[in-house]
Amino acid sequence: LITNPRVLAVNKSSTNNRQLFRRGDLVGWVADDPATGDKFLALFNAQDQELAPASEAALVSPPISREVSQAPLDVNITGAQKLYLMMRGGDDGTAWDHADWLNPVLVTNAGKTLDLTTLPWQNASAGWGKATVGKSVSGGPLLVRGQTYPTGIGTHANSIIEYTLPAGYNRFKATVGLDQAAAGQNTGGTFQALVFTKSPYQHAPADSVRVPVALADLGLAPGCTVHDLWSGRQVGKFTTGFAPFIRRHGAGFYRISGPKPAK
């Protein structure tokens, strides 16, 4: 809940709100203060840790949707020490991507099986709610195409569940399905399951980066004064532009005042 009066005033009185630039995951928005001629500037750092492409996965399921709501998986994990179960949202985003890993087991060459849900995972993420053993992400039973599964993991794309594998197992088998809680909706519910035996996490971006802004791009003359709207403090006076550090997943919010005419 935003209670900062300076920020609330921008929301109430600013005009001509528009995107100033988008440089990858660095985004700038600008608006006008009709009372003073100042500019309001919001800077966003949406950079995130990138994930490996599907081509590096040990297995990629067919697209799961209401039309094709489940698919069997059988992956060679010989020699692997790690198992990463990923659910990746479809082209329509991640709305209602309630995804179930059903009857997940590890199998030896001799046919011995181990229920994966009896092992603790090292990490588990979900795009909504939380990954849960024995239940769907919405809290109900694991229900796919009218069948209830007592064993499995309910999650929501985008999701990654990481396991350390015990020695001696050669295959991972499971069925992936769209949970009934999502199958009855009229939007979303499309995703793919990917299985990795090596970390799918790639290089993480810096914790914070400079986001340069040219005053000319704001239509302002040299010699502007910049104030931080969150803190109310003056950032400084700038001739051609400024470049504040913006933390990853963070935002900066500024008032930029043009030079005052000489008396």
Side-chain angles (χ1 to χ4, degrees), residues 18-178:
R18 60 204 182 275
Q19 182 172 291
L20 180 65
F21 61 79
R22 184 179 188 103
R23 306 175 193 135
D25 290 324
L26 303 178
V27 182
W29 276 79
V30 66
D32 302 329
D33 182 348
T36 65
D38 290 354
K39 302 291 184 181
F40 298 117
L41 177 69
L43 300 176
F44 303 93
N45 180 354
Q47 291 180 333
D48 208 345
Q49 188 168 22
E50 294 186 3
L51 297 174
S55 60
E56 295 185 13
L59 181 143
V60 180
S61 78
I64 302 299
S65 65
R66 291 175 187 81
E67 289 72 33
V68 181
S69 59
Q70 67 181 53
L73 308 180
D74 186 349
V75 189
N76 186 346
I77 58 170
T78 301
Q81 296 179 330
K82 288 283 191 176
L83 185 68
Y84 299 85
L85 307 181
M86 178 188 294
M87 293 293 188
R88 184 174 291 179
D91 293 337
D92 60 349
T94 59
W96 289 102
D97 285 358
H98 293 221
D100 296 338
W101 296 95
L102 305 169
N103 295 333
V105 294
L106 306 178
V107 187
T108 68
N109 282 336
K112 176 185 175 182
T113 62
L114 174 65
D115 178 356
L116 186 68
T117 66
T118 63
L119 299 178
W121 55 52
Q122 271 57 61
N123 294 287
S125 63
W128 177 84
K130 63 180 181 179
T132 305
V133 172
K135 293 183 179 180
S136 72
V137 72
S138 60
L142 296 166
L143 181 62
V144 175
R145 296 184 66 178
Q147 180 177 347
T148 299
Y149 292 80
T151 304
I153 304 167
T155 188
H156 190 293
N158 292 313
S159 168
I160 300 178
I161 304 173
E162 174 189 349
Y163 287 94
T164 297
L165 292 173
Y169 291 91
N170 305 94
R171 306 203 72 81
F172 166 70
K173 295 184 179 183
T175 296
V176 61
L178 175 65

